[in-house]
PDB file of all heavy atoms in Angstrom:
ATOM      1  N   GLY A 110      18.479  24.348 -14.599  1.00 96.00           N
ATOM      2  CA  GLY A 110      19.182  23.613 -13.547  1.00 96.00           C
ATOM      3  C   GLY A 110      18.266  22.932 -12.567  1.00 96.00           C
ATOM      4  O   GLY A 110      18.719  22.099 -11.767  1.00 96.00           O
ATOM      5  N   ASP A 111      16.964  23.256 -12.605  1.00 97.00           N
ATOM      6  CA  ASP A 111      15.993  22.589 -11.738  1.00 97.00           C
ATOM      7  C   ASP A 111      15.588  21.224 -12.298  1.00 97.00           C
ATOM      8  O   ASP A 111      14.894  20.463 -11.617  1.00 97.00           O
ATOM      9  CB  ASP A 111      14.723  23.441 -11.587  1.00 97.00           C
ATOM     10  CG  ASP A 111      14.982  24.761 -10.879  1.00 97.00           C
ATOM     11  OD1 ASP A 111      15.894  24.816 -10.025  1.00 97.00           O
ATOM     12  OD2 ASP A 111      14.286  25.740 -11.204  1.00 97.00           O
ATOM     13  N   SER A 112      15.988  20.919 -13.509  1.00 98.00           N
ATOM     14  CA  SER A 112      15.638  19.624 -14.111  1.00 98.00           C
ATOM     15  C   SER A 112      16.254  18.498 -13.293  1.00 98.00           C
ATOM     16  O   SER A 112      17.479  18.402 -13.143  1.00 98.00           O
ATOM     17  CB  SER A 112      16.144  19.558 -15.558  1.00 98.00           C
ATOM     18  OG  SER A 112      15.524  20.539 -16.355  1.00 98.00           O
ATOM     19  N   ALA A 113      15.408  17.651 -12.742  1.00 97.00           N
ATOM     20  CA  ALA A 113      15.843  16.598 -11.827  1.00 97.00           C
ATOM     21  C   ALA A 113      14.618  15.753 -11.485  1.00 97.00           C
ATOM     22  O   ALA A 113      13.504  16.034 -11.937  1.00 97.00           O
ATOM     23  CB  ALA A 113      16.439  17.197 -10.557  1.00 97.00           C
ATOM     24  N   VAL A 114      14.832  14.745 -10.651  1.00 97.00           N
ATOM     25  CA  VAL A 114      13.710  13.989 -10.079  1.00 97.00           C
ATOM     26  C   VAL A 114      13.405  14.576  -8.706  1.00 97.00           C
ATOM     27  O   VAL A 114      14.315  14.811  -7.915  1.00 97.00           O
ATOM     28  CB  VAL A 114      14.038  12.493  -9.943  1.00 97.00           C
ATOM     29  CG1 VAL A 114      12.850  11.741  -9.345  1.00 97.00           C
ATOM     30  CG2 VAL A 114      14.417  11.899 -11.289  1.00 97.00           C
ATOM     31  N   TYR A 115      12.114  14.822  -8.450  1.00 98.00           N
ATOM     32  CA  TYR A 115      11.687  15.389  -7.177  1.00 98.00           C
ATOM     33  C   TYR A 115      10.887  14.349  -6.401  1.00 98.00           C
ATOM     34  O   TYR A 115       9.934  13.754  -6.927  1.00 98.00           O
ATOM     35  CB  TYR A 115      10.848  16.652  -7.407  1.00 98.00           C
ATOM     36  CG  TYR A 115      11.691  17.796  -7.879  1.00 98.00           C
ATOM     37  CD1 TYR A 115      12.109  17.871  -9.205  1.00 98.00           C
ATOM     38  CD2 TYR A 115      12.096  18.798  -7.001  1.00 98.00           C
ATOM     39  CE1 TYR A 115      12.916  18.907  -9.645  1.00 98.00           C
ATOM     40  CE2 TYR A 115      12.899  19.848  -7.424  1.00 98.00           C
ATOM     41  CZ  TYR A 115      13.305  19.886  -8.752  1.00 98.00           C
ATOM     42  OH  TYR A 115      14.111  20.922  -9.175  1.00 98.00           O
ATOM     43  N   PHE A 116      11.301  14.147  -5.153  1.00 97.00           N
ATOM     44  CA  PHE A 116      10.615  13.202  -4.278  1.00 97.00           C
ATOM     45  C   PHE A 116       9.963  13.960  -3.135  1.00 97.00           C
ATOM     46  O   PHE A 116      10.585  14.833  -2.520  1.00 97.00           O
ATOM     47  CB  PHE A 116      11.601  12.199  -3.671  1.00 97.00           C
ATOM     48  CG  PHE A 116      12.201  11.239  -4.640  1.00 97.00           C
ATOM     49  CD1 PHE A 116      13.460  11.466  -5.189  1.00 97.00           C
ATOM     50  CD2 PHE A 116      11.529  10.081  -4.998  1.00 97.00           C
ATOM     51  CE1 PHE A 116      14.032  10.571  -6.077  1.00 97.00           C
ATOM     52  CE2 PHE A 116      12.088   9.170  -5.886  1.00 97.00           C
ATOM     53  CZ  PHE A 116      13.335   9.418  -6.422  1.00 97.00           C
ATOM     54  N   CYS A 117       8.728  13.604  -2.818  1.00 97.00           N
ATOM     55  CA  CYS A 117       8.165  14.051  -1.554  1.00 97.00           C
ATOM     56  C   CYS A 117       8.312  12.923  -0.550  1.00 97.00           C
ATOM     57  O   CYS A 117       8.418  11.744  -0.928  1.00 97.00           O
ATOM     58  CB  CYS A 117       6.709  14.482  -1.692  1.00 97.00           C
ATOM     59  SG  CYS A 117       5.563  13.171  -2.138  1.00 97.00           S
ATOM     60  N   ALA A 118       8.368  13.275   0.723  1.00 95.00           N
ATOM     61  CA  ALA A 118       8.525  12.290   1.789  1.00 95.00           C
ATOM     62  C   ALA A 118       7.725  12.760   3.002  1.00 95.00           C
ATOM     63  O   ALA A 118       7.471  13.954   3.173  1.00 95.00           O
ATOM     64  CB  ALA A 118       9.995  12.108   2.153  1.00 95.00           C
ATOM     65  N   ALA A 119       7.353  11.811   3.845  1.00 94.00           N
ATOM     66  CA  ALA A 119       6.544  12.133   5.020  1.00 94.00           C
ATOM     67  C   ALA A 119       6.972  11.284   6.197  1.00 94.00           C
ATOM     68  O   ALA A 119       7.480  10.169   6.024  1.00 94.00           O
ATOM     69  CB  ALA A 119       5.066  11.885   4.712  1.00 94.00           C
ATOM     70  N   SER A 120       6.758  11.824   7.387  1.00 90.00           N
ATOM     71  CA  SER A 120       7.012  11.046   8.593  1.00 90.00           C
ATOM     72  C   SER A 120       5.954  11.363   9.638  1.00 90.00           C
ATOM     73  O   SER A 120       5.253  12.382   9.548  1.00 90.00           O
ATOM     74  CB  SER A 120       8.408  11.307   9.160  1.00 90.00           C
ATOM     75  OG  SER A 120       8.519  12.617   9.652  1.00 90.00           O
ATOM     76  N   ALA A 121       5.841  10.477  10.625  1.00 87.00           N
ATOM     77  CA  ALA A 121       4.804  10.598  11.642  1.00 87.00           C
ATOM     78  C   ALA A 121       5.422  10.549  13.028  1.00 87.00           C
ATOM     79  O   ALA A 121       6.424   9.852  13.245  1.00 87.00           O
ATOM     80  CB  ALA A 121       3.791   9.463  11.488  1.00 87.00           C
TER      81      ALA A 121
END
Side-chain angles (χ1 to χ4, degrees):
Chain A
D111 295 330
S112 297
V114 180
Y115 288 78
F116 292 97
C117 65
S120 68

